[in-house]
Amino acid sequence: KLCAAIRVQGLVLPKAERAEDIKYVAERIGVGVTILPLIETARGYDDIAMLCAAPQVQRLMFGSIDFQLDLGISGEGDELLFFRSGIVLASRL
């Protein structure tokens, strides 16, 4: 209700992993508020299509530092290219 009262345009949802969580947030923030799930875990990446299909989701975001920690990836260049590309593609579709 507070988001609607102050006319929030969008909300970043950190550690997004389940579409049910996005639906829960969408029911409470009001119609027209964009939800931007932040993909920061392997579980979130695995359920990417379901996250994209959740209500009020416009695009996905990538939390690369937490993602690296979750997967044990030490580099931030080519090591993340596959995951970045997957998030971009899913987000666009």
Side-chain angles (χ1 to χ4, degrees):
K1 294 180 183 183
L2 179 60
C3 288
I6 60 173
R7 297 184 182 194
V8 169
Q9 298 297 306
L11 183 132
V12 176
L13 183 62
K15 302 277 188 198
E17 294 183 333
R18 300 174 343 130
E20 294 81 18
D21 295 336
I22 296 172
K23 290 176 190 171
Y24 178 85
V25 171
E27 291 170 357
R28 283 152 182 79
I29 63 171
V31 176
V33 178
T34 299
I35 298 174
L36 302 166
L38 187 56
I39 308 302
E40 300 181 276
T41 64
R43 179 171 167 93
Y45 187 86
D46 187 50
D47 288 337
I48 206 167
M50 297 300 287
L51 297 177
C52 287
Q56 295 172 226
V57 170
Q58 187 177 65
R59 290 279 192 253
L60 301 176
M61 298 175 66
F62 186 37
S64 61
I65 294 172
D66 283 336
F67 192 81
Q68 287 174 270
L69 290 172
D70 188 49
L71 272 73
I73 298 172
S74 58
E76 59 187 57
D78 288 342
E79 297 85 356
L80 295 175
L81 184 59
F82 172 81
F83 301 106
R84 282 191 176 110
S85 298
I87 290 170
V88 169
L89 178 61
S91 186
R92 175 64 177 115
L93 293 174

